[in-house]
Amino acid sequence: MCLGIPGRVMDVREDAGLRMATVDFGGVRREACLEYTPEAVPGMYVIVHVGFAITVVDEEEARRTLDVLRAMTDAVAGELGEPLPARPRPGPSARTEGTERPR
């Protein structure tokens, strides 16, 4: 199985003539090539497949996809080499009344 996994671009740099980044996949960080996503900058979310960012996605889509992938731990571990950590639960101060989205 091949997966494209969303992650947040942490930094961007040039390495041997290629745009490279450290990408955070909900707690697991890996290097990825950004040559196919020239618009990607730190803070943006990208879908990474076999070490290449193949598209940019918004944060909400990235979070939804990561939640689904957490339920597929064996497939994710096979792709990243380790499972994703459990999603941190927001503390009481992180919740704001009236901002929760319907599911």
Side-chain angles (χ1 to χ4, degrees):
M1 175 191 299
C2 294
L3 295 175
I5 300 180
R8 184 171 189 228
V9 176
M10 303 305 293
D11 62 47
V12 177
R13 64 193 170 286
E14 188 172 315
D15 186 3
L18 297 173
R19 271 185 95 230
M20 299 295 293
T22 302
V23 179
D24 185 300
F25 301 95
V28 175
R29 291 187 177 188
R30 295 286 184 264
E31 300 303 305
C33 179
L34 298 181
E35 286 296 311
Y36 299 134
T37 54
E39 70 278 23
V41 295
M44 291 180 114
Y45 287 80
V46 293
I47 300 290
V48 177
H49 174 67
V50 293
F52 290 86
I54 57 174
T55 192
V56 173
V57 294
D58 65 52
E59 182 177 3
E60 184 60 32
E61 180 65 22
R63 289 183 195 277
R64 282 193 308 262
T65 303
L66 283 170
D67 286 343
V68 169
L69 292 173
R70 281 186 179 91
M72 302 169 48
T73 57
D74 290 339
V76 173
E79 188 71 20
L80 292 178
E82 62 184 279
L84 290 171
R87 182 177 185 185
R89 299 203 183 269
S93 63
R95 293 186 184 134
T96 306
E97 195 171 312
T99 61
E100 290 193 29
R101 295 185 179 144
R103 294 180 185 218

